[in-house]
Amino acid sequence: MDTKRIVSASPHFRAPETTQSLMLNVVLALMPAVVASAVLFGWQSLITIAVAVGACVGFEWLFCKLMKKPSPIGDLSAVVTGLILALNMPAPNGNLPISIMMAVVGSLVAIVVVKQLFGGLGMNFANPALVGRIALFSGFTAHMTAWVFPDAAVDQLASATPLQVASPEKLSLVDLLLGVHGGTMGEVCIIAILIGFVYMVVTHTISPVIPVVYIGTVYVLNLIAGMGAYGSLVNILSGGLFFGAVFMATDYVTSPLTLKGKLIFGLGLGLLTFAIRTWGSMAEGVSFAILLMNLFVPYLNDLTVQTPYGYVKPAKTKAKKEGADHE
């Protein structure tokens, strides 16, 4: 019998969702991005995705087997990690063996180092797929920045991603929405990401607060910086902002629990992403912004903790008591 008790403010009610059902919703929400990656970059992208998912599930099962712990692979969290990790990688573009090796290495870092060594699901300090991506970016920089471009890519994007184009006002919003440009497999097609976002909001899998505040903050800061309405729109539709905001910043374990915490979290993500993109040496800043804000989540939860219903501060109680005595 589990002796742990959770103390929280009433009223309480039992929700029908389970970890498995929530993770299944995330898997379904990621399917449009998976399909888009196959259409835009070819069938080899599906192999990379399958390897990443298989490696994440395999490493989780093997680690738990060696540690003589119950295997949690049935909750589908490892599947979600594998999908997100793979979609954060560039398409193979003929280098399938390298992509497979990178998928395995990234899965090892995500599942074993970030997730299981910290106690498993619910105990990790950061999003496992996110740290796996950063590890790949550090160890396989040349391959992680070797962008593959769909055959229909426009001339302006022949040798750069949208964030690297000097004149963003020349870019087509249609191309950005459809993913006809370079980037990682999951980040390029904004329409596919939005379909997944709407599905998760409708099914109450995630709250829209963090993605909306995050993306909105970056847009407003770009306007203030003089980028203009169209240039600011191009900026938020470029890179991994939408994918990171929808599928990584909303991770249950590494995002705040309260509404105030989510608002502060989204604002912090927007500020950091804008700062890295504007003054940093990299065109992108989503991964590092999310990782940094993940580290502040425990403090945000403490600072924005929910006040129990009917709670009265001791000082006010004492003042009322003294008033009653005078009467």
Side-chain angles (χ1 to χ4, degrees), residues 52-325:
V53 172
C56 284
V57 173
F59 281 130
E60 184 152 87
W61 177 85
L62 181 60
F63 183 90
C64 292
K65 189 75 171 178
L66 293 174
M67 295 293 105
K68 298 180 180 180
K69 296 167 53 179
S71 176
I73 60 175
D75 63 19
L76 301 180
S77 60
V79 175
V80 171
T81 298
L83 285 170
I84 295 176
L85 175 65
L87 292 171
N88 270 287
M89 294 171 53
N93 191 28
N95 293 322
L96 188 58
I98 297 296
S99 293
I100 290 175
M101 181 180 68
M102 290 168 57
V104 173
V105 172
S107 300
L108 176 65
V109 173
I111 294 297
V112 177
V113 178
V114 183
K115 184 180 180 183
Q116 289 300 333
L117 288 182
F118 281 88
L121 182 65
M123 305 299 291
N124 44 286
F125 69 96
N127 186 294
L130 174 68
V131 180
R133 182 195 187 281
I134 293 175
L136 290 180
F137 185 83
S138 301
F140 300 88
T141 306
H143 295 285
M144 286 293 289
T145 55
W147 311 116
V148 179
F149 300 86
D151 293 335
V154 293
D155 293 338
Q156 295 95 320
L157 300 177
S159 60
T161 64
L163 285 175
Q164 298 170 326
V165 174
S167 302
E169 65 276 1
K170 296 181 180 180
L171 301 179
S172 167
L173 291 181
V174 174
D175 290 332
L176 293 173
L177 290 171
L178 295 177
V180 189
H181 58 83
T184 64
M185 293 188 289
E187 74 182 21
V188 292
C189 186
I190 301 299
I191 291 179
I193 297 171
L194 289 176
I195 293 173
F197 171 66
V198 171
Y199 174 79
M200 289 196 293
V201 171
V202 169
T203 57
H204 303 289
T205 304
I206 65 169
S207 165
V209 174
I210 292 175
V212 170
V213 173
Y214 183 7
I215 296 171
T217 299
V218 176
Y219 181 80
V220 171
L221 290 174
N222 283 328
L223 284 177
I224 296 173
M227 194 172 290
Y230 191 85
S232 300
L233 185 58
V234 169
N235 184 273
I236 65 172
L237 294 176
S238 306
L241 179 58
F242 266 75
F243 188 85
V246 173
F247 293 109
M248 293 191 286
T250 56
D251 177 52
Y252 289 114
V253 180
T254 57
S255 61
L257 300 173
T258 64
L259 177 59
K260 289 182 181 178
K262 293 178 190 296
L263 292 171
I264 298 171
F265 187 70
L267 286 170
L269 289 172
L271 288 168
L272 286 171
T273 300
F274 173 78
I276 295 172
R277 286 185 171 187
T278 305
W279 299 295
S281 59
M282 299 177 296
E284 184 59 278
V286 172
S287 295
F288 292 98
I290 296 176
L291 177 60
L292 287 172
M293 288 304 298
N294 282 166
L295 302 179
F296 287 98
V297 168
Y299 304 102
L300 291 178
N301 284 333
D302 288 340
L303 292 173
T304 62
V305 65
Q306 178 181 347
T307 302
Y309 180 77
Y311 174 78
V312 180
K313 292 183 179 180
K316 291 183 179 180
T317 304
K318 183 178 180 181
K320 288 182 178 180
K321 182 178 180 182
E322 291 177 350
D325 292 341

